Amino acid sequence: MSIQNEHGRAGEQMAVDYLKSKGYTILHRNYRYLKAEIDIVASKDDILAIIEVKYRSSTSLGSIAETVTKKKIKLLVMATDQLVREQNINLDVRFDIITIFKTRDIERIEHLKDAFYHF
């Protein structure tokens, strides 16, 4: 497994732990539909949170959240639509991004709620 994949998995686990500490219930991890993947599907207070996790150990690439492209958003919306229909979920949907910045000395998690809209 590549270092990038290891960091991605570690970042997703940090995000899951963070969400649980905030009262979220984790429904799915790495939900896949066609070419799309949702990192984390969680619920809290009648909200279905579709969460994209971004992990970085350097800020040299700019804002972590800005790495979520229009193409990625389109894929997330498609996968979410499939998930909601196949499991007959009747909750409001919200798209979030959790950014994790971690170096040897710093660990910072930010939860951007309603990070983008699908309409």
Side-chain angles (χ1 to χ4, degrees):
M1 183 183 301
S2 74
I3 295 292
Q4 185 176 3
N5 286 344
E6 288 179 27
H7 284 167
R9 290 187 194 278
E12 284 181 16
Q13 187 57 53
M14 290 171 68
V16 164
D17 295 342
Y18 169 84
L19 290 164
K20 286 181 177 179
S21 77
K22 299 297 182 185
Y24 286 82
T25 300
I26 306 304
L27 304 175
H28 298 281
R29 289 181 69 173
N30 306 113
Y31 174 85
R32 294 177 191 273
Y33 175 68
L34 300 177
K35 293 183 178 184
E37 179 181 359
I38 302 170
D39 292 333
I40 301 170
V41 179
S43 66
K44 181 179 178 185
D45 300 331
D46 295 327
I47 297 288
L48 183 71
I50 305 302
I51 301 165
E52 177 70 10
V53 178
K54 292 295 184 181
Y55 177 98
R56 294 287 185 269
S57 57
S58 168
T59 58
S60 64
L61 299 174
S63 169
I64 299 170
E66 290 176 0
T67 63
V68 179
T69 64
K70 288 182 181 182
K71 180 180 178 181
K72 178 64 176 181
I73 290 170
K74 184 177 178 181
L75 290 170
L76 287 170
V77 170
M78 178 183 66
T80 300
D81 183 57
Q82 175 63 24
L83 173 71
V84 167
R85 283 189 290 116
E86 83 180 17
Q87 296 187 8
N88 199 28
I89 297 172
N90 191 21
L91 298 171
D92 288 335
V93 176
R94 185 181 76 208
F95 292 91
D96 297 355
I97 300 172
I98 290 184
T99 63
I100 298 169
F101 176 71
K102 185 174 179 178
T103 65
R104 186 180 315 170
D105 303 319
I106 301 169
E107 180 177 299
R108 183 175 60 236
I109 298 176
E110 292 184 38
H111 185 180
L112 307 168
K113 296 177 184 175
D114 281 322
F116 58 88
Y117 297 95
H118 61 284
F119 296 105

